[in-house]
Amino acid sequence: MRYTFGGDEHVFVEVDEAMSLEAFFRSLSITNAVRDSRIRGVTEICPANASFQIKFDPDLIAPDDLLKELKSLEGAGAG
């Protein structure tokens, strides 16, 4: 997965370059895990076909801390 920051309040995660069913379900699984984790500072979760975007409040969670949380969900086998 590829993580990129969009400005000060967004992180964009590309699950796969190909828009496949596998990528869609992986993206959906991880966004559900993010929602269930109730990460402090996450204000919006926007799933897409092979990617997702997370909006967060940088006053509540540092971008690098959010990135660690997201990668831990990926590493824990969400999906």
Side-chain angles (χ1 to χ4, degrees):
M1 293 209 288
R2 184 176 65 178
Y3 298 84
T4 54
F5 288 104
D8 294 337
E9 298 179 342
H10 295 89
V11 62
F12 176 78
V13 183
E14 183 179 48
V15 175
D16 197 335
E17 288 183 14
M19 290 195 287
S20 65
L21 279 176
E22 181 181 339
F24 168 75
F25 286 117
R26 179 95 171 121
S27 174
L28 187 61
S29 176
I30 294 173
T31 55
N32 285 336
V34 171
R35 185 175 296 108
D36 293 344
S37 296
R38 305 179 72 75
I39 300 168
R40 185 174 186 262
V42 170
T43 59
E44 202 170 337
I45 303 167
C46 305
N49 188 355
S51 62
F52 58 93
Q53 183 168 298
I54 305 291
K55 183 175 181 188
F56 64 96
D57 183 340
D59 291 330
L60 297 177
I61 187 167
D64 289 337
D65 292 339
L66 176 59
L67 198 58
K68 284 181 200 174
E69 293 277 354
L70 295 175
K71 286 184 176 184
S72 74
L73 293 173
E74 174 189 354

